[in-house]
Amino acid sequence: MKQRVEAKFKEIFGTDEGAVYASPGRVNLIGEHTDYNGGFVLPGAIDKGVVLKIRPNGTDKANIYAIDMDQMVTYPVIESEKPAPGWSHYVYGVNCEMQKAGAELKGYDAVFAGDVPLGAGLSSSAALESAFAFALNDMFNCGLDKKVLVKVGQMTEHNYCGTKCGIMDQFASVFGKEGCLIKLDCSTMDYEYIPFHPKGYRVVLIDSKVKHELVDSPYNRRRESCERVVAEIAKNHPQVKLLADADFAMLEEVKGDVSQEDYMRATYVIGENSRLATTCKALQEDDYDTVGKMVFETHNGLSKLYEVSTPELDFLNELAKSVGVTGSRIMGGGFGGCTINIVKDELYDTFINEVYKQYEAKFAVKPAVYDVKISDGARKLN
Ligand code: GLA
């Protein structure tokens, strides 16, 4: 991909000047829809992402070419209108949010390409945001802290793309480390790298190929449910600012004051925080049976209580269970995308064969299988 980006850059801008940066998508072992509730998550960056070549161009304009869309977008770096194409909002948003954070940007030429499957729940948008945030910060010596770059990506989603997402995706994309998951406390942004080498197991993603579109989706409504429950609980417990501060006993106190739906959503989130804690302990002990049990329970919660699953994802989950996969669940925001599966080495071929056979027979769609490697976060390549 790097060569392709460099060749296109030379073709368009007629020079070899500039530097190349890369930033990845992510997986998440457990801790779903906990980030915007101030809880923990356990993501890792993957070996798929965005590669970007960029150079200052001595003007006040940004010229950005997206290879995959075969489209060029140009706008003045300072005080410009939001450009039209959807993909460019992620870049334009980073441009604006970095300036809000105090960065002094000048004009630049950029070409990028990506290999994170779009709409699969692997955070292609965070990869794009982080690639630009990291590169602009480095190239113009803006001196923004990496945690500020993470916030720049998140605020890009909020203010320019319409998703009130949490911090997980951008954090994993910027802070990813080869062979490690990141145990991130989303309320403080404190984090810890957890080596993840599940001996005897493979981690495989099955893409249901159902479109996953968080913008204008019920994602933001899930967040609102959580906020309503917090507002009720806080009447009795003012120290509760986010759902991660609450426990089941507090939730029971307000059961009659919140809707049945909001109650279910909160039940899932509070349960998910404790499943994550159990998982981290089990990882330390190489106890993948317990990890897998937690992962299955998370799927159940996401499907029955948080209601972000689809028939296709539920089918893949049931199928995994029926062939003896250790753990399987919807990954990411939901409403389509992938399942993440922890599969014993010796079961891998059987599982994949069954997935291809049964999924296509049932939905007339060929699923995709991704073997991912936990990799480094945003970085300069040369
Ligand atoms: C999306 C969001 C994240 C997170 C997950 C669900 O990926 O971008 O912030 O909320 O959904 O865990």
Side-chain angles (χ1 to χ4, degrees), residues 26 28 31-36 41 121 123 163 165-170 214 219 332-334:
R26 62 102 190 88
N28 184 30
E32 218 64 89
H33 289 275
T34 45
D35 58 355
Y36 53 83
V41 289
S123 299
T163 305
C165 66
I167 201 73
M168 168 170 74
D169 304 350
Q170 292 77 13
L214 291 186
Y219 179 93

Side-chain angles (χ1 to χ4, degrees), residues 37 224-259 262-271 273:
N37 285 302
E224 286 156 18
S225 281
C226 297
E227 287 165 358
R228 280 193 294 272
V229 175
V230 167
E232 277 308 318
I233 293 177
K235 288 181 187 165
N236 304 337
H237 305 277
Q239 77 278 16
V240 173
K241 306 274 184 251
L242 291 163
L243 260 189
D245 306 326
D247 58 25
F248 283 120
M250 295 174 182
L251 177 61
E252 284 313 303
E253 288 170 14
V254 299
K255 188 170 180 183
D257 306 314
V258 298
S259 71
D262 288 357
Y263 174 80
M264 276 161 44
R265 308 291 189 245
T267 305
Y268 161 76
V269 172
I270 295 173
N273 269 326

Side-chain angles (χ1 to χ4, degrees), residues 305-321:
L305 298 170
Y306 220 61
E307 297 183 301
V308 295
S309 190
T310 62
E312 292 85 353
L313 290 164
D314 283 343
F315 181 84
L316 287 172
N317 181 263
E318 282 302 321
L319 175 55
K321 207 177 285 170

Side-chain angles (χ1 to χ4, degrees), residues 32 79 84 100 104 162 200 211 215 260 277:
E32 218 64 89
E79 287 181 28
K100 283 190 211 164
E104 279 185 33
K211 195 153 169 45
V215 179
Q260 171 64 17

